[in-house]
Amino acid sequence: MSNIYKILLCGARGFIGRQVAAALRAQGHEVVPAVRTATPGAGCVVDFARFTRAEDWRAALAGVDAVVNAVGVLRERATQPMQALHADAPIALFEACAAQGIRRVLHISALGIDASPSAYASTKRQAEEALWRLNRERRLKGTVLRPSIVFGPGGASTALLVHLAHWPVLPLPRAVKRCLVQPVAVQDLAQVCVRLLGLEQPPELVNAVGPQALSLGELLASLRQQLGRTPARTVTLPECLTQFSARVGDGLPWQPWGREALQLLQAPNVAAAQPFASLLGHPALPPDRLMEALQA
């Protein structure tokens, strides 16, 4: 990338945001982290639960050349309402960018949300549609980046998958065993974010996927093999126990399993791999080497 930008990064303390920040800084860009609570040298304070009008973002965007939004939650909480975090605040942010002449916007969404009735998917779609509308009006040069399951250090889903891969007997919901995913290393995702911000005419949509689609059951088997373990015995959970486990998971906010995750598993999470690899400039890390992502 030849130009050096000042970039407002929303979600800078999150799993994906930390990797994006590191990749941007490695290329010489100035990263302004948008954070909920002030700490020395933390950047600017924004509140996605309350910044739902374009004017709320005016101060945060002063002097900024580009914006990356990596905010996302799987759990609805009083302090983190999905409608605000996934839709209202990003839409206000996009409108503010357009009003202030900041045309380079990268919005990290999620793959597999097109047909899902979940609150997570529907709120994510609202923000995507708003960004594409501003593109059509020639007010933004925005890109929606839709990753499949993202694997790497610090990821809650990664931690859960690695934990499960150690079990010699795996009781898995049928949806988990069958759901197709295309895992992508978080480092590859971050590098593509950097490349997209450097394009004069960026694509409107990029599906961020690894080179191979496989079921979550197959992914767990691959992770177990990478850990040097013998194949696990899998047991399919009855539907009643699946629903019960999801309700229990809703009460355990430190891990990603719950009813929202179960709904999202009803749709395949795959796409053509070549466009993402072309942007990356080399093949993405394959599933049988994903444990390397934890060491990078």
Side-chain angles (χ1 to χ4, degrees), residues 4 6 24 34 48 51 53 59 65 81 101 107 113 141 148 172 175 199 202-203 205 216 221 223 225 259 276 284 293:
I4 300 301
K6 181 178 181 179
L24 288 170
F48 260 62
F51 278 33
R53 303 172 304 165
D65 302 305
H107 175 62
I113 63 172
K141 289 184 178 180
S148 184
L172 297 176
L199 296 178
L205 174 65
L216 275 171
L223 293 176
Q225 184 178 42
R259 283 177 289 183
F276 181 77

Side-chain angles (χ1 to χ4, degrees), residues 22 25 92 141 143 154 162-163 177 211-212 216 227-228 234 239 280:
R25 289 182 177 124
K141 289 184 178 180
T143 298
V162 172
H163 177 69
K177 290 179 69 175
Q212 181 184 345
L216 275 171
L227 289 166
T234 60
E239 184 61 23
L280 185 59

